């Protein structure tokens, strides 16, 4: 083998150090890429949260938009209450017919009708502003009998 000259001996360690640095630079760059990606995702999430908060505050400041949203909710609630009252009336009619024809045979759909009436009554109770019952009054409502209505 040949003997390296003085300059080559001085360059060899620098070249080895450069090769070593280049080899480790790839791993460091990959790691920085992951850190950079997570930082970008975090920045995007923060930006989206700030935009949401800004839009939410703007909605609160705009009285026309708040009034429109309130009007929509009121209309939806009114439509639901109307549907519930109609369902209660239909259910009552089906139950009354079933009871009048009881001698002829039992109606298999009666439990489903009762469940629908209970569901509508519960929804009405929550959506209507009804007064709270007094402590002395009975908690269960009793249906009016024909004799009580006539008397």
């Amino acid at each position: 083998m040949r003997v390296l000259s003085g300059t080559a001996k001085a360059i060899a360690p620098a070249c080895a150090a450069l090769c070593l640095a280049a080899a480790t630079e790839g791993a460091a760059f990959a790691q920085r890429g992951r850190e950079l990606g997570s930082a970008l995702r975090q920045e995007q999430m923060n930006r989206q949260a700030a935009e949401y908060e800004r839009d939410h505050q703007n909605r609160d400041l705009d009285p026309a938009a708040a009034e429109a949203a309130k009007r929509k909710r009121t209309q939806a609630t009114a439509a639901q209450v109307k549907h519930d009252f109609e369902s209660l009336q239909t259910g009552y009619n089906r139950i009354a017919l079933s009871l009048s024809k009881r001698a002829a045979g039992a109606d298999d759909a009666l439990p489903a009708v009762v469940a629908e009436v209970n569901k509508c009554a519960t929804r009405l109770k929550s959506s209507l502003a009804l007064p709270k019952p007094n402590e002395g009054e009975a908690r269960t409502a009793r249906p009016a009998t024909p004799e009580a209505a006539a008397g």
Side-chain angles (χ1 to χ4, degrees):
M1 296 206 115
R2 289 195 285 177
V3 178
L4 295 175
S5 67
T7 5
K9 286 182 183 179
I11 294 177
C15 186
L18 183 63
C19 289
L20 182 61
T24 57
E25 180 66 26
F29 182 72
Q31 193 171 23
R32 251 187 286 140
R34 274 186 249 131
E35 291 171 0
L36 184 62
S38 66
L40 288 175
R41 281 191 301 275
Q42 184 65 39
E43 181 182 331
Q44 182 181 12
M45 289 174 56
N46 290 340
R47 187 174 49 246
Q48 287 174 346
E51 288 173 2
Y52 173 79
E53 185 65 28
R54 185 189 67 232
D55 291 344
H56 186 69
Q57 288 176 351
N58 286 341
R59 251 183 270 126
D60 288 345
L61 293 176
D62 187 11
E67 185 63 32
K70 183 179 178 182
R71 196 175 325 114
K72 277 185 180 181
R73 281 192 308 271
T74 303
Q75 288 174 350
T77 302
Q80 184 66 50
V81 166
K82 181 180 179 193
H83 176 265
D84 287 342
F85 275 124
E86 289 172 352
S87 294
L88 283 175
Q89 185 64 46
T90 304
Y92 174 78
N93 291 342
R94 287 188 64 188
I95 291 170
L97 282 173
S98 176
L99 291 177
S100 68
K101 296 179 181 179
R102 188 162 215 154
D107 188 7
D108 293 337
L110 194 58
V113 172
V114 171
E116 178 68 20
V117 165
N118 284 335
K119 183 173 75 172
C120 290
T122 303
R123 204 169 30 226
L124 278 172
K125 188 188 279 187
S126 67
S127 49
L128 295 179
L130 299 174
K132 299 278 184 204
N134 293 334
E135 289 298 321
E137 293 181 13
R139 289 265 179 203
T140 59
R142 298 176 194 224
T145 59
E147 296 84 27

